[in-house]
Amino acid sequence: MTRTPAALVLADGRIFRGRAFGAQGTTLGEAVFTTAMTGYQETMTDPSYHRQIVVATAPQIGNTGWNDEDGESRDDKIWVAGLVIRDLSHTVSNWRANRSLEEEMAAQNVIGIKGVDTRAIVRHLRDKGSVAAGIFSGDAALASDEDMISQVKAQESMEGADLAGDVSTDEVYIVEPDGEPRYTVIAYDMGIKTNTPREFSKRGVRTVVVPHDTKFERVQELMTEHCATGVFVSNGPGDPATADATVAEVKKVLEAKIPFFGICFGNQILGRALGMETYKLKFGHRGVNVPVINHVTGRIDITAQNHGFALRGKPGEKFDTPYGEAQVTHTCLNDDVVEGVALLDGSAFSVQYHPESAAGPHDANPLFDQFFEMLDKA
């Protein structure tokens, strides 16, 4: 059993000492926590977690090991900057596991810390908010407190961080549907999870995935080439205030009344295209148990989420836009944060949470059917 020292250092000077696991060295990022009891592999490979050090509230991590099927990035890349846990399971117990969590983290040079009081860390983050942090392990953990805190404070802030380019594809690629294609959509990759095109595929929809900075004129060419009828904008990391270039292209999509669907970052981009503001949340929403109410239907869904920024708006409010009247359709029951917006003419809608359900509850999965119905009408 390794006893290599490690330290989680927060920019406000708080230090939590534990033991190293995975790779060793130094990693910097924003400290956030996830309330999910399961799905650590999906969380760690979600590009939305780029530059974030994730604190798991579940007390034991690693029980189900690591498999070659559940990764949410195209090449199974781990995107989290680091992982903070209380206990690491020393036994892997799952019939699909190919190796342990620690083996995969070491192979991908991902640094972790275990043996810390994650309850105390989460309470601190809830009180102080998500803060800049670093994990220092092995020889790096022998540095002075002042030196480690100085390194943490010197890193770039998440507010104002333009990260979509780091995680987006560099070239167009296509995910074919199961069976005969019924429709085709153009998907902006802001950090797309692999299960999203898979959900389209189940419904007979071909997905043409394009880089985050693709111009509308190129989208029109691809729509003509592939007989596409809709546009989708995915989840992704970073501050939506830095995505004005993508917002400008989405405005052209809205002007053309092309059916539009957005998830997470895509929700913030649609909101900004409709004239709404975005802001940074104190500690964000991350987990698979976040309650959201639909103000149109009154339905409440338990959702999977990962976002540190949000749209500014009031539950159920309607407002005018250059593309017609819009509405805040969904909000979080915990804190009234905006969780969805839509144009009332039915041409565009988006949600802040993750209906692709990886990992998480399936309550919101029918949103893919809602988009399919939009394509049907178009």
Side-chain angles (χ1 to χ4, degrees), residues 68-342:
D68 293 326
E69 302 167 43
D70 290 344
E72 283 300 313
S73 54
R74 283 183 73 198
D75 52 2
D76 243 7
K77 175 180 171 62
I78 295 176
W79 282 104
V80 299
L83 185 63
V84 182
I85 66 173
R86 193 183 80 178
D87 295 326
L88 176 67
S89 176
H90 298 291
T91 302
V92 173
S93 180
N94 187 277
W95 64 277
R96 294 190 305 147
N98 300 103
R99 53 203 164 276
S100 71
L101 167 63
E102 183 166 29
E103 288 171 335
E104 186 66 21
M105 288 176 63
Q108 294 202 36
N109 197 35
V110 176
I111 295 169
I113 180 173
K114 62 181 180 179
V116 291
D117 187 348
T118 51
R119 295 170 302 175
I121 298 170
V122 170
R123 286 180 67 92
H124 186 81
L125 296 179
R126 279 185 61 88
D127 290 343
K128 306 297 183 182
S130 298
V131 297
I135 300 176
F136 300 80
S137 66
D139 292 341
L142 303 179
S144 68
D145 293 357
E146 292 75 15
D147 182 41
M148 292 189 291
I149 293 171
S150 176
Q151 290 184 56
V152 167
K153 287 183 175 180
Q155 68 181 290
E156 179 188 0
S157 171
M158 284 296 286
E159 198 158 5
D162 185 1
L163 303 179
D166 294 350
V167 300
S168 179
T169 181
D170 293 325
E171 57 187 11
V172 176
Y173 68 92
I174 298 174
V175 180
E176 294 291 349
D178 298 337
E180 287 295 315
R182 296 185 60 185
Y183 299 110
T184 299
V185 298
I186 308 298
Y188 274 85
D189 178 10
M190 311 302 291
I192 197 167
K193 296 167 71 173
T194 56
N195 209 41
T196 301
R198 194 177 298 133
E199 288 294 336
F200 286 138
S201 294
K202 291 177 183 177
R203 293 162 173 81
V205 178
R206 174 189 289 117
T207 308
V208 180
V209 184
V210 301
H212 72 106
D213 56 355
T214 301
K215 298 294 185 183
F216 179 64
E217 291 71 24
R218 176 58 176 152
V219 168
Q220 288 179 304
E221 292 173 0
L222 290 168
M223 291 185 76
T224 300
E225 180 182 345
H226 297 282
C227 298
T229 53
V231 170
F232 170 81
V233 177
S234 79
N235 60 291
D239 187 341
T242 66
D244 284 348
T246 306
V247 169
E249 304 310 315
V250 168
K251 286 181 177 179
K252 298 174 185 176
V253 173
L254 301 179
E255 288 171 0
K257 292 299 177 182
I258 297 169
F260 177 92
F261 178 30
I263 288 176
C264 201
F265 207 166
N267 179 62
Q268 296 158 6
I269 286 174
L270 175 60
R272 290 183 69 87
L274 297 177
M276 301 175 75
E277 296 178 350
T278 50
Y279 66 101
K280 193 175 190 306
L281 294 167
K282 183 177 180 181
F283 49 79
H285 295 165
R286 296 174 182 86
V288 297
N289 50 7
V290 183
V292 169
I293 184 168
N294 183 330
H295 294 287
V296 179
T297 66
R299 175 186 169 92
I300 295 171
D301 288 339
I302 304 302
T303 67
Q305 299 199 14
N306 169 33
H307 64 109
F309 293 85
L311 293 169
R312 194 179 301 281
K314 298 178 181 178
E317 74 171 330
K318 296 180 181 179
F319 54 98
D320 292 326
T321 79
Y323 320 102
E325 193 174 18
Q327 182 179 10
V328 173
T329 54
H330 300 72
T331 53
C332 179
L333 285 173
N334 290 337
D335 52 16
D336 285 342
V337 165
V338 174
E339 297 282 0
V341 293

